[in-house]
Amino acid sequence: MSQGWKITVILLAAVGVVSTPLIWLLDSPDTGQLAGASIQAAVGIAALIWVPFQRPDNRTDDVAVRTGRADASGGGTAVAGIKRPLGQGSGSAKAERTGNATARGNGSSAVSGIDYS
């Protein structure tokens, strides 16, 4: 969420916290109604403020620059860059200037860049 949207949500939340009890006051509520409205507004607005600031726990941004020279032989695996087994992670992965990936022999693999296997 962009900074502008975060500020907008916070401002709307502040207006909600102030306006809900104010509307009840105009209708001459008793003490219990006023307390209930205040708690309802505060809990609802706290949730609205809390949500935009949450980040996914597994988000990672990976960058590999000037990768190259990944050599594997005899069934080995070589990765020069980023390895994300089974595509794990929810962030971006970027590899620049890749090159030089050589695999020799059965079952060998070499990756210069991003490996999602």
Side-chain angles (χ1 to χ4, degrees):
M1 180 178 281
S2 71
Q3 188 67 18
W5 277 110
K6 288 180 183 179
I7 291 171
T8 302
V9 169
I10 290 171
L11 289 176
L12 290 174
V15 168
V17 167
V18 172
S19 67
T20 300
L22 185 62
I23 291 170
W24 279 63
L25 281 174
L26 295 176
D27 194 29
S28 301
D30 61 24
T31 305
Q33 290 172 328
L34 181 59
S38 299
I39 292 170
Q40 178 184 353
V43 169
I45 301 311
L48 286 175
I49 292 173
W50 176 75
V51 170
F53 294 103
Q54 300 306 303
R55 292 184 54 108
D57 292 334
N58 64 345
R59 180 169 171 80
T60 55
D61 294 323
D62 297 326
V63 178
V65 180
R66 296 184 184 175
T67 62
R69 197 87 191 151
D71 297 316
S73 61
T77 302
V79 177
I82 300 167
K83 182 168 179 77
R84 284 193 174 174
L86 303 174
Q88 293 177 344
S90 63
S92 66
K94 181 180 179 180
E96 298 178 358
R97 299 183 185 182
T98 62
N100 298 337
T102 305
R104 290 180 217 92
N106 292 337
S108 298
S109 66
V111 176
S112 175
I114 303 171
D115 183 9
Y116 287 108
S117 60

